[in-house]
Amino acid sequence: MEVITRFAPSPTGHLHLGHAFSALTAWHRARQAGGRFLLRLEDIDPTRCRPDFATAILEDLAWLGLDWDGEVRVQSAHLPEYRAVLDGLATRGLVYPCFCTRADIAREVAGSAAAPHAPDGAPLYPGTCRRLSADERATRIAAGQPFALRLDMARALAAVPGELTVFEEAEGERRCDPARFGDAVLARKDAPASYHLCVTHDDALQGVTLVTRGEDLRLATDLHRLLQALMGWPVPCYAHHHLLTDAAGRRLAKRDRAATLRELRADGVSPAQVRARAGFPDQM
């Protein structure tokens, strides 16, 4: 099987050394196997993504010495595709509109001393809007109330009987537990589709055979595996790599103002030096 990898950053800021490590990991895996390396811009969030950041990503990767195969896939140019997936799930009764705000959810779970939490640390959605009647949902939508679309986890699991597994390079075949995410959001009130839906759809559409990404996304694979089963999409292999950290042991992140590739370049750091810092001695 041809090895097809991808790097899929969100243009919400400039790339830092952690991004370079992730991009280099995917690029090397594809090139060493004579395969293909794809670039995708996950710019679904209109409140945080900016065109200038998207342009900067392309410039920084080229400066780093990376090339990619085919055109860059820009998610915001493919919204009808994600809408079609959501419509299909809705037709099967697997998603429902959720009108709750974060404050609503916080109030509802506050009364539970042992409220379960999702892998990202957020309280599991208690299913408030899942219990609404079809008439009440229609009335609220007609009144213009904003809503998200949530996956009905119980119905989704019932639609794919049998155990869900995925192949992780570091551990082999492992069992997935998507129920830990509860009724996950597949489309937000301020975005037409969620990361989970878009990334899984695009990996299938683009024929990605090996997903290389950070260890922080390992558990998200369980939810992605469920979406693959529901939609009949192929299942790639996964290789979750370690995360680069700063001197204090914190993972490099945009929100913590990790040094960007642009700042490193302005300081006179060469692409070869950046690749070495990321753990890839110059092999370009």
Side-chain angles (χ1 to χ4, degrees):
M1 179 184 296
E2 182 182 19
V3 173
I4 303 175
T5 67
R6 48 74 167 173
F7 177 55
S10 294
T12 57
H14 292 121
L15 299 183
H16 54 64
L17 193 60
H19 293 120
F21 173 71
S22 186
L24 284 162
T25 297
W27 186 89
H28 273 282
R29 290 298 302 270
R31 294 296 181 249
Q32 288 175 346
R36 302 174 62 219
F37 170 69
L38 309 179
L39 179 60
R40 180 192 309 155
L41 295 180
E42 299 188 340
D43 63 340
I44 290 298
D45 188 338
T47 63
R48 300 176 60 226
C49 296
R50 289 173 21 189
D52 56 318
F53 288 145
T55 299
I57 286 173
L58 304 185
E59 294 173 352
D60 287 347
L61 292 177
W63 173 79
L64 194 58
L66 299 184
D67 60 343
W68 48 88
D69 298 293
E71 294 184 359
V72 178
R73 180 174 173 85
V74 180
Q75 287 186 336
S76 61
H78 299 277
L79 300 185
E81 297 175 29
Y82 310 127
R83 184 74 249 176
V85 175
L86 290 167
D87 288 345
L89 292 172
T91 299
R92 296 161 63 187
L94 299 179
V95 296
Y96 62 89
C98 175
F99 306 91
C100 296
T101 64
R102 291 180 179 174
D104 294 334
I105 297 171
R107 281 194 298 270
E108 183 149 349
V109 301
S112 174
H117 286 68
D120 62 2
L124 282 187
Y125 181 64
T128 307
C129 290
R130 188 190 334 116
R131 298 186 286 268
L132 296 178
S133 68
D135 287 344
E136 186 168 359
R137 291 173 181 174
T139 298
R140 291 192 177 194
I141 293 173
Q145 290 189 29
F147 62 90
L149 285 176
R150 289 184 178 273
L151 180 68
D152 189 319
M153 182 59 69
R155 288 192 175 189
L157 289 173
V160 288
E163 187 174 79
L164 294 174
T165 63
V166 69
F167 185 84
E168 294 270 5
E169 280 196 347
E171 58 186 289
E173 202 79 16
R174 73 168 178 85
R175 178 180 174 274
C176 296
D177 182 20
R180 72 178 84 199
F181 286 87
D183 290 359
V185 171
L186 296 187
R188 300 205 321 262
K189 297 176 182 178
D190 58 349
S194 74
Y195 160 76
H196 298 299
L197 184 141
C198 294
V199 70
T200 313
H201 171 277
D202 287 357
D203 284 345
L205 179 73
Q206 295 186 285
V208 173
T209 61
L210 175 63
V211 173
T212 63
R213 60 189 182 193
E215 179 67 27
D216 56 326
L217 289 171
R218 176 185 290 269
L219 293 180
T221 306
D222 291 16
L223 179 56
H224 300 173
R225 181 66 187 89
L226 174 59
L227 292 174
Q228 290 160 354
L230 289 173
M231 299 304 302
W233 291 331
V235 183
C237 296
Y238 290 86
H240 290 91
H241 57 69
H242 69 276
L243 304 174
L244 296 190
T245 58
D246 60 18
R250 298 172 302 185
R251 75 181 182 92
L252 299 181
K254 296 175 187 176
R255 64 175 177 273
D256 296 326
R257 296 190 56 78
T260 67
L261 300 188
R262 302 212 140 199
E263 291 168 337
L264 293 173
R265 181 162 72 241
D267 289 341
V269 179
S270 71
Q273 289 172 314
V274 170
R275 294 194 294 269
R277 288 189 189 184
F280 289 86
D282 197 57
Q283 303 173 18
M284 314 300 265

